[in-house]
Amino acid sequence: MATIEDVARRAGVSQSTVSYALSGKRPISAATRTRIEKAIAELGYRAHAGARALASARTDVIGLMAPLRTGVDVNVIMQFVAGVVTGAGRAGYDVLMLTQDEGSLARVTSSSMVDALVVMDVEDDDARLPALQALRQPSVLIGLPADPHGLSCVDLDFTQAGASAVRRLLAAGHRTVALIGSPREVVDRHTSYAERMTRGFVGACEAGGATHLVLPTPASAAGAVASVDTLLAQLPDVTGVVVHNEVALPHVISRFRERGRDVPGEVSVVAVCPENVATSLPVPVTSIDIPAEGIGQIAVDMLTALMRDPSMAEVRLVSPRLTERGSVRDLG
Amino acid sequence: MATIEDVARRAGVSQSTVSYALSGKRPISAATRTRIEKAIAELGYRAHAGARALASARTDVIGLMAPLRTGVDVNVIMQFVAGVVTGAGRAGYDVLMLTQDEGSLARVTSSSMVDALVVMDVEDDDARLPALQALRQPSVLIGLPADPHGLSCVDLDFTQAGASAVRRLLAAGHRTVALIGSPREVVDRHTSYAERMTRGFVGACEAGGATHLVLPTPASAAGAVASVDTLLAQLPDVTGVVVHNEVALPHVISRFRERGRDVPGEVSVVAVCPENVATSLPVPVTSIDIPAEGIGQIAVDMLTALMRDPSMAEVRLVSPRLTERGSVRDLG
DNA sequence: ATGAAAGCGCTAACAG
DNA sequence: CTGTTAGCGCTTTCAT
C-alpha cells in the first residue's frame, strides 16, 4: 500500500502539502494540486484509517446499536439500519454494527473506534442512558425514554400516532375499538415506542368515551389469529381495530374474514407500519406511516450536528400522517 | 483517555511489558501481571484502536456487505447479519456495515479499515469477484457464483434443496407441481441462490417426469395472490407447490384456500425458509430450513481460518434437511 | 504557498 | 522475565 510519503515523493512535494491538499485546510497552488492528484491516482493512494485516527482523533465511523433479537420487527429494524447506513455514507461516515450488550458500548467508545453512536430499541427507563451520557462521544437515540438525560432523541411521535388512529375511527362513528400491538416481551421490557403507542391509544379512547381493549400480540401468524379470537371473545361488538404489528397485520385481516367479519365491511382497520407494508397487502390498508429510513437519516444528521456543536442536543418527534386507503368504513 | 504509558508508569514497568501482558505474546511473572491488571482496572485503560491498527497492521474489524435493498428477503438477511455479528463477536471481531456499491469495497480495504470481508447477495456472475480476489484481505462469500475465482464460499445447497423439495412431493404421488420463487428482480440479476433453487427444482421435475411451472413472485401479499391466480389459470390441476419466498408464503396458503383449494387437502406445500417462519404460521408447514444465522457464523469461522492460512479457501454447501410438519398430503 | 519535524499510542524487534 | 527503542502513517504546529 502506498503511503502519503510515496505520494509526496512522486509529486515532488512534502508530506504536509499532500495532507493539506487532501484535507483542504490550507490553500494549495493549482499546479501543485494537479501534480499531487496525479500521483495519488497513479499510486492508488488511500490514507491509512488507523494512522489518520491516531493523528487526528477522529475515525469517521459511527457505531450503531441495533436489536438483532426477536420480538422486534425485523423489517422495520432493517429500514432504520438502511437509513442510518445511507445517511452516514452521505455524510462521509462508515457504520460499525454493535450488539445489544452493555460491553460493546464501552469497548468501542473507550478504544476510540467510533466518533459517535446511534442507539436503537430504547426502553422507557433504559439502563444504557447514564453510560451514554457520560461518554466523550455524542449519541442519538432512536426512541424516546422517559427521561432523555439530555441526550438527543428522534422517533415517530407514537403517542400522537396512537391517538390519531383512534380519532380516525371515532370520527367514522366507531365506539368499540382495540389495539393489536407489539409482542408481550417488547411491552414487558417497556420499549419506548410500545408504551407511547398504548398511551396515545388509551388516552384518545378515554377522551372519546370509546370502549377499548389492548392486546399485545406475537409477531407471527399464529399470534395474530389468537389475538383476533381473544378480541372477538372479549369484545364481540368491536368494529374498529388499530394494528401496530407489521407481521401480524395481514393475518389479523384474514382472520377477521375467516371469522365472518369482512374488512372494512364489519371491521375497520388502521395500521401503524411502514408504507410499503400497508400498500403491498391484498387489500390496501389505511395507515400511519413509520418513516423508518427517514428517521435513520435524521439520526445521522443530528449526530453530525452534535459533533460540530455538542450543545445541540434536542428531542425530535416526527408528526404522524395518516393515509387513507379505504380500510375504514364510515358508520355515520 | 489513559494510554499504555500511563498504565506502565502506574504499574512501575515499561510500555512493552504492558503490551506483552495484554497480548500474551511473551511470559510475564505473576507479580508483574497482577500490578499491570490493577493499573489497567484503576485507569479504565483500553488500547486505542487506531494506534493498534497502525502498529500491528490489524484492525480486528470485519467488513460486511449486505443488501439493504428491496426484493431480497429482509428477514433472512437480518438472520445472516445476526449470525455474522455474533460469530464475529465470539471471534473477537467487530463488524463494519458496507453498502452494496463498488466504491465502499475499495475504500475500506485500501484504507485498511477491515481485516477481512463477508459478502452477501452474490450474483451468478458477480462483478465484485475480480476485485475481491485481488485484495490483500481475505473474503468469504455467502452464496455461490458460477465461478468462485478461488474465493471461499458458503451457502445452503439450494440446488439440493430445490430437488429435495420436489422429490418429497413426487414421493407422495404428486405429478403437477410449481415453484413460487424469488421476486423477478432477484432472478433477473441472476442472484445465485435463486438460480440454483430453480435448477434443482426443474432438474428434479424433469428427472421425475413431472409437469412443472416456475413463478417468480414479488415479496408481498398482492404478489403472492397474483402468482397463485396465475398458477391456477395455467396449471389448474396442480397439487404440489414449493415456496421459496418467505413473505409470500402465508399469503400463498391463504389464497389457495380462498380459491377453494385446501392446504394440504387439495394442494401440498413445501417451503424453503427459516425455521421460525415455517413454525409460526397458522398451519405449520413442511419445510427445508435456511439456517441463516448458522451460515453467518460459519462464514466468520472460514474467515478466521483464512486469516491464519490464506491457502484455506474452500466452498462449503450446507446440506438441506427437510422437516415434516404435515403440509404435504400423500396421494397414495 | 510550501517544508520540516514533532508527536498521536501502540507493537515488536533487539538487547539484556 | 523485562526494558529500550524504532517505527507504523498521518496531522498539525512552527517556520519560512
Side-chain angles (χ1 to χ4, degrees):
Chain A
M1 293 282 96
T3 73
I4 198 173
E5 191 177 350
D6 299 331
V7 175
R9 194 167 21 236
R10 181 154 196 140
V13 297
S14 72
Q15 282 189 41
S16 58
T17 301
V18 176
S19 178
Y20 282 118
L22 250 23
S23 69
K25 289 190 180 174
R26 79 181 186 191
I28 304 285
S29 73
T32 321
R33 155 154 285 132
T34 310
R35 297 211 317 286
I36 291 175
E37 278 164 2
K38 184 155 166 288
I40 288 178
E42 286 167 358
L43 293 170
Y45 168 76
R46 222 91 156 212
H48 185 287
R52 189 208 285 282
L54 180 56
S56 67
R58 310 182 48 231
T59 62
D60 291 349
V61 173
I62 288 172
L64 172 58
M65 213 163 182
L68 295 175
R69 56 172 153 185
T70 53
V72 285
D73 208 312
V74 288
N75 208 329
V76 180
I77 300 295
M78 277 289 275
Q79 294 195 22
F80 277 117
V81 172
V84 171
V85 172
T86 61
R90 217 186 337 265
Y93 288 88
D94 276 295
V95 174
L96 196 72
M97 283 288 281
L98 305 178
T99 51
Q100 209 71 349
D101 60 300
E102 181 79 24
S104 66
L105 210 163
R107 190 167 44 75
V108 301
T109 54
S110 62
S111 68
S112 299
M113 293 185 77
V114 301
D115 292 342
L117 288 165
V118 174
V119 176
M120 295 184 55
D121 197 35
V122 176
E123 294 171 24
D124 218 38
D125 181 26
D126 202 295
R128 298 165 296 188
L129 298 188
L132 284 172
Q133 188 203 13
L135 288 179
R136 181 165 35 94
Q137 294 94 338
S139 51
V140 169
L141 312 180
I142 293 182
L144 181 63
D147 172 7
H149 284 64
L151 294 164
S152 275
C153 307
V154 57
D155 204 355
L156 178 66
D157 190 334
F158 278 100
T159 310
Q160 284 301 322
S164 165
V166 169
R167 282 195 301 262
R168 175 66 186 85
L169 292 170
L170 294 180
H174 298 268
R175 284 294 166 269
T176 306
V177 300
L179 169 62
I180 295 199
S182 299
R184 169 80 59 194
E185 70 249 48
V186 172
V187 176
D188 281 351
R189 49 175 195 258
H190 300 284
T191 303
S192 140
Y193 60 81
E195 300 260 293
R196 288 178 285 140
M197 183 71 201
T198 305
R199 252 198 312 275
F201 174 85
V202 173
C205 286
E206 288 174 350
T211 305
H212 58 279
L213 184 62
V214 175
L215 290 155
T217 301
S220 69
V225 168
S227 272
V228 169
D229 291 348
T230 305
L231 172 55
L232 290 176
Q234 297 194 14
L235 228 55
D237 51 351
V238 62
T239 61
V241 173
V242 177
V243 181
H244 177 208
N245 184 319
E246 181 200 310
V247 176
L249 176 58
H251 308 291
V252 166
I253 295 173
S254 55
R255 184 56 176 175
F256 272 121
R257 291 184 167 162
E258 283 173 19
R259 294 290 307 268
R261 315 263 179 140
D262 185 41
V263 175
E266 327 283 323
V267 175
S268 292
V269 171
V270 177
V272 179
C273 65
E275 194 170 27
N276 64 337
V277 172
T279 57
S280 64
L281 292 172
V283 185
V285 169
T286 295
S287 78
I288 291 172
D289 182 25
I290 301 177
E293 188 150 358
I295 290 175
Q297 297 193 29
I298 291 177
V300 174
D301 291 344
M302 293 173 75
L303 220 39
T304 57
L306 275 175
M307 294 162 91
R308 238 175 282 121
D309 177 359
S311 73
M312 294 290 283
E314 56 177 335
V315 173
R316 283 170 66 171
L317 292 181
V318 177
S319 294
R321 224 170 43 82
L322 188 145
T323 303
E324 297 290 349
R325 291 197 191 83
S327 64
V328 174
R329 176 167 158 237
D330 199 325
L331 300 183
Chain B
M1 291 283 96
T3 72
I4 198 172
E5 192 177 348
D6 300 330
V7 175
R9 193 165 24 233
R10 182 155 196 139
V13 296
S14 71
Q15 280 190 42
S16 59
T17 301
V18 177
S19 177
Y20 284 118
L22 249 25
S23 69
K25 289 190 179 175
R26 78 182 186 190
I28 304 285
S29 74
T32 318
R33 155 154 286 131
T34 309
R35 297 212 319 286
I36 291 176
E37 279 164 0
K38 184 155 167 287
I40 288 178
E42 286 168 358
L43 293 170
Y45 168 76
R46 223 91 157 213
H48 186 287
R52 188 208 285 281
L54 179 56
S56 68
R58 309 183 49 232
T59 61
D60 293 347
V61 172
I62 288 173
L64 171 59
M65 214 163 182
L68 295 175
R69 55 172 155 185
T70 54
V72 284
D73 206 313
V74 287
N75 207 331
V76 180
I77 300 295
M78 278 288 274
Q79 294 195 22
F80 277 117
V81 172
V84 170
V85 172
T86 61
R90 215 187 336 266
Y93 288 87
D94 276 295
V95 174
L96 196 72
M97 282 288 281
L98 306 177
T99 50
Q100 208 71 351
D101 60 300
E102 181 79 25
S104 67
L105 211 162
R107 190 168 46 73
V108 301
T109 53
S110 62
S111 67
S112 299
M113 294 184 76
V114 301
D115 292 342
L117 288 165
V118 174
V119 177
M120 295 184 56
D121 198 35
V122 176
E123 295 172 23
D124 216 39
D125 180 28
D126 203 294
R128 298 166 295 187
L129 298 189
L132 284 172
Q133 188 203 13
L135 288 179
R136 180 167 35 95
Q137 293 94 338
S139 51
V140 169
L141 313 180
I142 293 181
L144 180 64
D147 173 8
H149 283 65
L151 293 165
S152 275
C153 308
V154 57
D155 205 355
L156 178 66
D157 190 334
F158 279 100
T159 311
Q160 284 301 323
S164 166
V166 168
R167 282 195 301 263
R168 176 66 186 85
L169 292 170
L170 294 180
H174 298 269
R175 285 293 165 270
T176 306
V177 299
L179 169 63
I180 295 201
S182 299
R184 170 80 60 196
E185 70 248 48
V186 172
V187 176
D188 282 352
R189 50 175 194 258
H190 300 284
T191 303
S192 139
Y193 61 80
E195 301 260 292
R196 286 178 286 140
M197 183 71 203
T198 305
R199 250 196 316 273
F201 174 86
V202 172
C205 286
E206 288 174 350
T211 306
H212 58 278
L213 184 62
V214 175
L215 291 154
T217 301
S220 70
V225 168
S227 273
V228 169
D229 291 347
T230 305
L231 172 55
L232 291 176
Q234 296 193 16
L235 228 56
D237 51 351
V238 61
T239 61
V241 174
V242 178
V243 181
H244 177 208
N245 184 318
E246 180 200 311
V247 177
L249 176 58
H251 309 290
V252 165
I253 294 174
S254 54
R255 185 56 176 174
F256 271 122
R257 291 184 166 163
E258 282 173 21
R259 294 289 308 266
R261 316 261 180 142
D262 185 42
V263 175
E266 326 284 321
V267 175
S268 292
V269 171
V270 177
V272 178
C273 65
E275 195 170 26
N276 64 334
V277 172
T279 56
S280 64
L281 291 173
V283 186
V285 169
T286 295
S287 77
I288 291 172
D289 181 25
I290 302 179
E293 188 150 357
I295 289 174
Q297 296 194 29
I298 292 177
V300 174
D301 290 344
M302 292 173 74
L303 220 39
T304 57
L306 274 175
M307 294 161 92
R308 238 174 283 120
D309 177 359
S311 72
M312 294 291 284
E314 56 177 335
V315 173
R316 282 171 65 171
L317 292 181
V318 177
S319 294
R321 224 171 44 82
L322 188 146
T323 303
E324 298 289 349
R325 292 197 190 84
S327 65
V328 174
R329 176 168 159 235
D330 199 323
L331 298 184

